[in-house]
Amino acid sequence: MEIVTLTHPEGGRVRVYPYGAHAAAWTDPAGQEILFLSRRSRFEPGAAIRGGVPVVFPQFADRGPLPKHGFARVVPWEPVGESADTVTLRLADTLETRALWPHNFRAELRISLDRALTLTLRVLNTGDAPLEFTAALHTYLRVGDVRRATLEGLRGTRYLDKVEGGEPRMEEHAALTVAGEVDRVYLDAPARLRLRDEALGRVVEVEQEGFPDTVVWNPWVEKARALEDLADEEYLEMLCVEAAAVGAPVRLEPGEEWSGTQRLRPPDPRPSRQGSRTNSLTEAPAGV
Ligand code: TA6
């Protein structure tokens, strides 16, 4: 498959597949892999890449009549602008997309690398009727051991818990821990979260703007076994923290545009920040 590689003078490197506009792997300036990519991932037409940052559009999950997570992740996007550290990929409606989803649109994903990795999804209604969509940047973050990782920043946020049949809940814990299947849509989520990874001794910050919601997903043992493109134990090495517009569909009038951004900040190389690890882990963890 065609690959575009982004590089940054400080040493970061991102591998992008125009197929699905998929940022599949990112090595930060310190040489650490920040994204999870399954060793069983298929790289073939018709299959979504398992890991990295799949683009979910124009339907999140099975919330509508389209194939799960829409079609954007399983079609080629066109690179329309590229420099050493940035690429923009474009997808417009075709006969095939209109057969599934009867709208004229243009979507662009801009992937940009400095110390951080920034992904901006833009959607423009190029037709003469309103359209609605849901979307997500379905980011798979790599962790050393998900049982020893905490996601901080969601306390006080309402969420829909798919594992509990879509029940609305309120997050009570400052630090979310994963000890079972997690599949939640946090509604009107905070703009910044921190993934603290005790096993790898690092913190990755996840920021979003434009996307109102955040999805947190780990399939855990049984669901991981059912996924052919995920090795049985790999669920321990990943946590999806997804910038999403899911709670309410985005509606665009003709000519209107929407955009949403997710920014991933790698661990700070300065030892002082890593040193804060012990204190925050004394926070009572949530049993999920
Ligand atoms: O974003 C969470 C989710 O919708 C989960 O329900 C889970 O199915 C996951 O996405 C992965 O979906 P996929 O189609 O890539 O196997």
Side-chain angles (χ1 to χ4, degrees):
M1 273 187 179
E2 187 188 344
I3 293 177
V4 175
T5 303
L6 306 181
T7 54
H8 187 259
E10 283 184 40
R13 202 177 178 82
V14 177
R15 192 161 86 238
V16 177
Y17 291 85
Y19 176 76
H22 203 121
W26 169 33
T27 317
D28 80 349
Q32 301 193 52
E33 290 293 338
I34 308 295
L35 298 174
F36 167 84
L37 179 62
S38 169
R39 59 177 186 273
R40 292 253 179 96
S41 181
R42 286 181 290 162
F43 290 89
E44 59 192 37
I49 296 169
R50 177 69 66 192
V53 187
V55 178
V56 170
F57 173 85
Q59 175 188 295
F60 179 78
D62 44 14
R63 294 167 169 247
L66 302 187
K68 188 175 175 200
H69 285 328
F71 49 73
R73 63 179 182 163
V74 289
V75 292
W77 294 48
E78 185 194 357
V80 291
E82 195 181 327
S83 65
D85 56 14
T86 302
V87 63
T88 300
L89 300 128
R90 182 178 291 168
L91 179 69
D93 56 284
T94 60
L95 268 179
E96 288 77 23
T97 69
R98 287 194 299 275
L100 284 168
W101 194 57
H103 297 290
N104 301 110
F105 71 94
R106 189 164 72 228
E108 282 185 2
L109 185 75
R110 183 172 189 271
I111 305 173
S112 171
L113 177 69
D114 46 27
R115 260 195 58 74
L117 179 65
T118 304
L119 302 103
T120 297
L121 178 65
R122 295 168 60 215
V123 180
L124 173 68
N125 181 351
T126 54
D128 51 16
L131 63 79
E132 289 192 352
F133 65 87
T134 48
L137 297 175
H138 196 301
T139 303
Y140 287 72
L141 292 172
R142 174 177 294 281
V143 288
D145 180 343
V146 76
R147 296 167 298 190
R148 297 173 60 212
T150 50
L151 185 62
E152 300 171 357
L154 288 165
R155 178 149 61 189
T157 308
R158 281 184 313 129
Y159 65 92
L160 306 175
D161 193 337
K162 192 166 178 185
V163 177
E164 300 292 335
E167 274 299 297
R169 298 260 161 100
M170 175 73 79
E171 183 57 69
E172 291 172 0
H173 301 92
L176 176 72
T177 57
V178 179
E181 183 189 356
V182 182
D183 196 346
R184 300 175 173 183
V185 178
Y186 284 88
L187 301 165
D188 294 319
R192 178 187 286 192
L193 302 176
R194 291 158 65 87
L195 179 60
R196 195 174 290 281
D197 183 335
E198 201 190 336
L200 294 181
R202 71 185 192 188
V203 174
V204 173
E205 292 182 352
V206 184
E207 298 171 0
Q208 63 184 53
E209 58 199 49
F211 286 104
D213 311 315
T214 300
V215 177
V216 181
W217 179 59
N218 182 284
W220 209 248
V221 183
E222 294 304 325
K223 293 240 163 101
R225 280 201 189 123
L227 295 171
E228 279 178 12
D229 55 356
L230 191 71
D232 284 357
E233 301 305 317
E234 280 186 316
Y235 73 93
L236 290 171
E237 298 166 30
M238 54 156 279
L239 184 66
C240 285
V241 181
E242 311 169 27
V246 170
V250 177
R251 180 183 170 91
L252 293 180
E253 299 298 326
E256 262 190 339
E257 184 180 292
W258 170 92
S259 77
T261 294
Q262 186 186 53
R263 181 171 295 109
L264 307 172
R265 294 192 188 277
D268 195 321
R270 285 171 298 162
S272 57
R273 190 146 141 213
Q274 295 293 320
S276 69
R277 191 167 77 241
T278 323
N279 289 342
S280 299
L281 282 174
T282 56
E283 193 97 50
V288 173

